[in-house]
Each structure stands twice: as C-alpha cells, then as structure tokens.
Amino acid sequence: MKVAVMGYGTVGSGVVEVIETHNKSIANRTGGEILEVSHILDLRDFPGDEHEDLFTKDFNDILNDEDVMVVAETMGGVNPAYDFTMKLIESGKSVVTSNKELVAQKGLELLEAAERNGVNYLFEASVGGGIPIIRPMAQCLSANNIEGVAGILNGTTNFILTKMIEDGMTFEEALKLAQDNGYAEKDPTADIEGFDACRKVCILASLAFGKHVYPNQVRAEGITKITLEDVSYVSSANGVIKLLGQIKKIDDDSIAAFVSPAIVFNGSQLASVNGVFNAILVRGDAVGDVCFYGPGAGKLPTASAVVADMVDCAVHVDRRKTFGWGEGAEDYVVDEKTVLKMPFYVRAKAGCGEIMARFNDVKFLNRKGQPSDEVAFITDSMTENELTSKLENMDVINIIKVTDY
Amino acid sequence: MKVAVMGYGTVGSGVVEVIETHNKSIANRTGGEILEVSHILDLRDFPGDEHEDLFTKDFNDILNDEDVMVVAETMGGVNPAYDFTMKLIESGKSVVTSNKELVAQKGLELLEAAERNGVNYLFEASVGGGIPIIRPMAQCLSANNIEGVAGILNGTTNFILTKMIEDGMTFEEALKLAQDNGYAEKDPTADIEGFDACRKVCILASLAFGKHVYPNQVRAEGITKITLEDVSYVSSANGVIKLLGQIKKIDDDSIAAFVSPAIVFNGSQLASVNGVFNAILVRGDAVGDVCFYGPGAGKLPTASAVVADMVDCAVHVDRRKTFGWGEGAEDYVVDEKTVLKMPFYVRAKAGCGEIMARFNDVKFLNRKGQPSDEVAFITDSMTENELTSKLENMDVINIIKVTDY
C-alpha cells in the first residue's frame, strides 16, 4: 500500500525509517501487505538524503495520487496542517498524526469529517509519544466509567524537575542542560509554561469524557516558579514535584481539567517517572488505577506510534475505527479553583503560630537552611479559593497542589 | 445483543455486574447496542441470587441459543472449558476468557478454530487482570521488533514479597496474611511456585514472538527459597526481589522464557510495583521500554477486561480481529541457563578471599547481623551454567538472577 509523509523533521524522518526497517512486523499485522512511502512533503531541501526522489514541495502531489491511501502528518502546528488534513480526508484518504496542537484545536472537526468520508483520523502519537495510550484508554472506557486521568505529559519539564530533585540543579541550570541535550527548544516556553501538556490534556479529556475540550478551557501553570527550596520541603514529606495534567469528572455535564505542578508522594507510580519519560494514570470505577509508562518523545518512539496507526489504517481501510467525541460547551470545563477540594503545599514568610491560627490542621515541613521567618506546610483538603481567602494578607512565596494519585 | 457467562465465581459474577452497571459506556462503544446476559452456566446453586432465572446447569442451553453471539468463559481450568469453548466457536459464537491455563495450553487450537469459523477468541483478562496489555502489545508489535518482555504477573507473590521487603515479615508470615486477606488460596502452590506466572509468560511469549509456547517449555521457579536475609542483602545494593516472568528474543527461531525470582534495582518501573499490583514491561527496538501497570487480579478489574473483550466482539461481530500466532516447536524455547548471560546474586558460606579467587569482578553486599562465615555478592555477566561451575563444591545458600530492566 502506498503511503505519504508530510513533514520530514524528527518524527517524519523517523516514520520513514521505521516503515523501511519494519517491513516484516508490518506485514505480520496487515496480513502480508507492506507500506511503501511514495511521497515526502517538506518545503526544505535535504540534499544527499537517500529518499531524494520522493520529496515534493507541492501538497497536490499527495492529494492527487489516487494510490496513496494513508498519510502521516508530522508537520506540527495548526496551519497548514489543518487545511492539508481536511483536504486529504475529504478526498477519501486516512490520516494519522503526531500533531497534538492540531488535534487539540481541530480534532472534533477532523474526526467528524473522517466519519462523513468513511476514513480514519488517528492520533496515538499525539499524547505520550511511543506509549500506547489512546487505544488502551478507549478499551478501558468500554467497561468503566472514567473518574479521572493524571499524566506526566511533557518530557522536557520532567527532565528539568528530575535534575532539580535528584542532582540539586537550579531550574535555570536544568533548563540549560535540557537545551544542550536537545530535550528543550531554544525557546522553551511551550514546554515550561505547560502549553504542550495542556494540548495533551485536551485530547485525553475529549477521549475520556466524550466532549471536545479546547486549550483555552484548560488553565496551564508551568514550572518556572518551582525552586530548590520547594523541592527540599516536599522531599522532607516523602514527595516529589511533577508537572501534571489532571482531568476529573465532576458530573455528567462537567469536568475539571488543568495543568500545574503537583506533589506526588513516593509509592505512587507517577513518583518514579523520571527524566524524559511520560506516564498516564487512568482511574476507572471498575478497573481502579491503571498506568501507562514510556518514552514521551523522541524520534523512533514517536515514529513507532505513528506507524502503528498507519498499519491500523491499512488493516481497516474499508472500515472506520469507532474513535471520537462530540461537541463541547463553554461551561463544560469548570473552574477547578472553586470546585475541586484537595490538600495544598504552601510556603510563606510567616511563623507557625500565624499558620495555626488560620488553619485547623496542617503538617509542617522542614528543610536544611530554613530561615526562621519561613514556614512550609501541607493543608487539609479544601478548594483553592478557600485556601486563598485563608492566606489573605500573608506573604506567600509558593502554592502547589497535592494529588491523590 | 444477547450474551452468556460460563462460571459464576469471582470473575464471572463480576462480569454480570459490570455489564449491568455499565450499559451507558458499553452503548457508547458499540454505537448504541447494549449487552444482555441471557444465560449463566454454573453447576452450583445460588439461592436468592437476583439472577436466579438466568442460571442453567446445562451447557447446551447456551450452545443451542442462536441469539447468543458472545460468551464469556470464566470457569478456569482446561476441562471442560476447552470442550465448551471449542463447541461454541464451531457453532459461530465468539468467546472471551480470563482463563490463562486454557489459553496457555490450548490457545493455538482455539485461535485457529476461531479463524476457521469467522469468530473471535479474545483473552485480554488472562494476563494482568484489568491492565490492558494484550491489545497494546499487538499495537507495539506492528512497528517494533520486540526484544524482550518482563512482568510482575502474579499479585499473590508480589504481595508476599512486598510484605517481606517493607515490613520485614518472613515468607510464612506474609503467606498467612495473604491467605487471611483472600489474596492467596488455601493451597497456594500455583502462585508461590510460579505456575500461574508461567501460564501468563506462555501467553505473552506466544503473542510477542508469533509461535505458541507451552507451559512445559517454561522453567518456573517460585519464591519459597527467598529469605529475609536475601531481602536484606539485596536492599543494601538498592534493589528489590520480585517474581518476574521474562521473555527474551534469542534469534528469529528461538527465545528464552522463564519465571524466577529476580533482582530489580530501584529506579526501574518494576521496582515500585508493590502489593497485589502487576506490571508488564515491553522492550521494542523502536519504542524502547514501555510499561503497563495496574491491578493484576480482583473481581471488578478482571471483569472489566472480560467485558471490554465482549464489547469488542459485539463491535466486530461481522469481522475477525487479527490476533493470533502459529505453531511452536520443541526446541523453540532454549535452555536459558546455557544461553543467557546476566549478573547473579549469590549467597554462600564462604570467605571473601575464596570468592575473589573464583570470580574476576564481584560486588560484595552486606546485612545487619551478617555471620562472619557468610558472603553475598553480585557477579558480572555470565550464563547460569558458567556460574554453577565457578561455584562447584562451595556451600551455596541461594542464587538469584539480576535483571537488566
């Protein structure tokens, strides 16, 4: 079967490589059919690349090639990926993607178009890189009511936090190391401010609860305010700070969904996820907690998820997979600060007496070199708004959510 | 769609419960169709059970009901489950199962029969209870060459080992607690001798490498020889002892597959899997290591996996899933003792000098209360046969494999 690849960056070139090196395992799954890359779309030149005769700068070469049944979109960004994907779907081709931004922004429209046109739009690689998560979640869904999802969804920030926790690096030092290692972009904003994780939360929430969630509905807080002092306090309570995407069912018509630093206690499966690895925990009413762990990014891991989707399209060429979700609503995602109760970590310039006068029940933490005018503590369960009002007029240095995962 | 359940024990009664309480999520996946349990086969009586009018002691009531399209077999054991399953498949019904013994012994025949008859035989619940593992592994397989699989596949033994490691209980005390909690049978042989894990290794190996592996081809060593002294030595090296099922590709025509206690170092995803939880790590050439974690047993978790398979059958009623494997061979599973090189933990009545005279490079371990005539150490990488010959005539107390996971 002829296939095409749009975008010859890290993931796209990995897709071509995995297809070429895994003919045998692909044929095992398709019942004998192999995939043959017939076009690679990229505006850049790749002189000397062994696939030179496959390159095109004209999208129409793919759109108009009737033999191409499946296209991998690994371009990233909403434009022109959206336009290209829609045209391919409307011309009866299946599309698979690693482009989380596009799925988070336009997934509903593209899935509906795929349904109308009897083709597939699959996006396993858009969340968790190489970790199979989209299909296992769909599987869990059929005999469970999902109660919540929590994930370490961004390898760059998890690498930075791991270096802070394990090696005592400052945020700035760890970010520099991540950039030197190629884990972080020159402009790291999308990672460290939580925007990348936010897109993945949108996709997981849409799938888990059946209604599209858009990035502007999900509050994203990054890791730039986390200091070694916080890491040290949390460590004294046997916990670690992770950047988590969290989704919780509120009722049949609303969910909470947000990205923020969060404290996970040792013993949780999420606590031992280190470096650039990702993990996604799904809590179902029948199965309990299941957790999926693996490389959240990287050329070949992500490419292997894209190719698995291409194989799935090849197997299901005459039949749609039943993935998808419906229209969302503006008030579908609630303000978690007013609704969700949880414990919080608070660090402030204050004395213990002042804290005990305001809170019924707190657990004080300590760190080496703690100044006498600084306290850190974990509260009992309350909403963030309740917390804020209790802390009124106090010199608060940092607040971090505490998870129940 | 009408369905039937054979065996109304823990899992079977959970299947009926999950079907009845999850109509909505089931309908979401099937496109509107719900499952309706029309027969429950069990030789026992359940006076007062609310499903009284569904019970039958006659298998033919299910076999001859043309409206029943999908049957859950949760009886356990090879007979009469094999006979019943074969007859159902031959009459054009799909069967799903949690029965690892049957899949390990007769999976190939039943899968071939399902293929001949255009129906499905699915077994997600046979490995890892509620953890989605069979389908994600099939997915990984399509764009990866699997290099190895390692799993904590038995919750009972993991509970016992966890109690030994965390609470300093002896094996006997921990076993007693497991029995009191209902995690271990009155006759715990199948769990503690590794036979249960062995069956799951057969299923995973058959799926991962495409040829049926039978239980008599997989050496199973249980946890009865593990003592608190071993736990303590291993802890000094920042490791834990787990009962692992391991499968490794040797070449295109052979694999190693075995169950044994094994040392996992902290930092591994397998090291933090505690209590009755299970985890399965899959190593692929493109994706690297992915790991699936969750409850490995229990009524509702396992039932939710069975029901997910039933839903899949309902969705694919006119189309077979492409799961399966081919015939095995007697020499397909090699003797890992002669082929696989790895480090080993050794505890012996000996002095350090004696050990250093026999081994090039060992790491000595220590424990509180260590007798002066006892040593424990980790060797460099070698085959178990090489190790045995190096230890000739020495008073060896215990040997434990060390993993590279």
Side-chain angles (χ1 to χ4, degrees), chain B residues 191-207:
Chain B
D191 290 326
I192 64 176
E193 295 296 352
F195 304 148
D196 173 78
C198 169
R199 291 164 193 150
K200 294 165 179 170
V201 161
C202 293
I203 298 169
L204 292 173
S206 302
L207 187 63

Side-chain angles (χ1 to χ4, degrees), chain A residues 22 25-26 29 124 130 135 139 141-143 269 272 285-287 289-293 295 301 304 308 315 318-319, chain B residues 22 25-26 29 124 130 135 139 141-143 269 272 285-287 289-293 295 301 304 315 318-319 322:
Chain A
H22 289 74
S25 54
I26 291 168
R29 295 288 301 159
E124 180 61 70
R135 268 187 213 72
Q139 181 181 334
L141 279 167
S142 65
Q269 279 296 300
S272 57
D285 66 342
V287 75
D289 288 354
V290 292
C291 188
F292 305 89
Y293 164 94
S304 84
V315 171
D318 56 343
R319 186 190 165 97
Chain B
H22 289 74
S25 54
I26 290 168
R29 294 289 300 159
E124 180 63 68
R135 268 188 213 72
Q139 181 180 336
L141 279 166
S142 64
Q269 279 296 299
S272 58
D285 66 342
V287 75
D289 288 352
V290 293
C291 188
F292 305 89
Y293 165 93
S304 85
V315 172
D318 56 341
R319 189 189 164 99
T322 49

Side-chain angles (χ1 to χ4, degrees), chain B residues 312-383:
Chain B
D312 217 13
C313 287
V315 172
H316 288 83
V317 72
D318 56 341
R319 189 189 164 99
R320 287 201 64 249
K321 306 271 299 183
T322 49
F323 274 140
W325 51 76
E327 188 57 78
E330 216 168 296
D331 59 353
Y332 172 58
V333 181
V334 301
D335 179 2
E336 78 279 1
K337 293 190 177 185
T338 64
V339 173
L340 275 192
K341 284 178 194 270
M342 66 185 88
F344 290 88
Y345 159 94
V346 179
R347 179 154 72 103
K349 290 270 170 217
C352 289
E354 231 180 310
I355 302 303
M356 279 153 67
R358 297 190 187 205
F359 291 87
N360 294 328
D361 184 19
V362 301
K363 177 182 157 66
F364 285 104
L365 311 179
N366 56 72
R367 68 173 173 100
K368 227 175 145 178
Q370 177 174 357
S372 61
D373 65 342
E374 181 180 284
V375 289
F377 56 95
I378 292 178
T379 69
D380 56 2
S381 200
M382 60 186 70
T383 67

Side-chain angles (χ1 to χ4, degrees), chain B residues 63-104:
Chain B
L63 183 66
N64 297 330
D65 186 337
E66 288 187 2
D67 291 341
V68 171
M69 308 289 283
V70 180
V71 180
E73 183 267 298
T74 53
M75 307 164 66
V78 172
N79 292 308
Y82 171 67
D83 184 43
F84 288 0
T85 302
M86 188 58 94
K87 282 183 174 144
L88 291 167
I89 288 172
E90 285 175 343
S91 77
K93 300 183 198 302
S94 286
V95 179
V96 311
T97 189
S98 60
N99 185 340
K100 53 227 164 212
E101 196 177 349
L102 182 59
V103 180

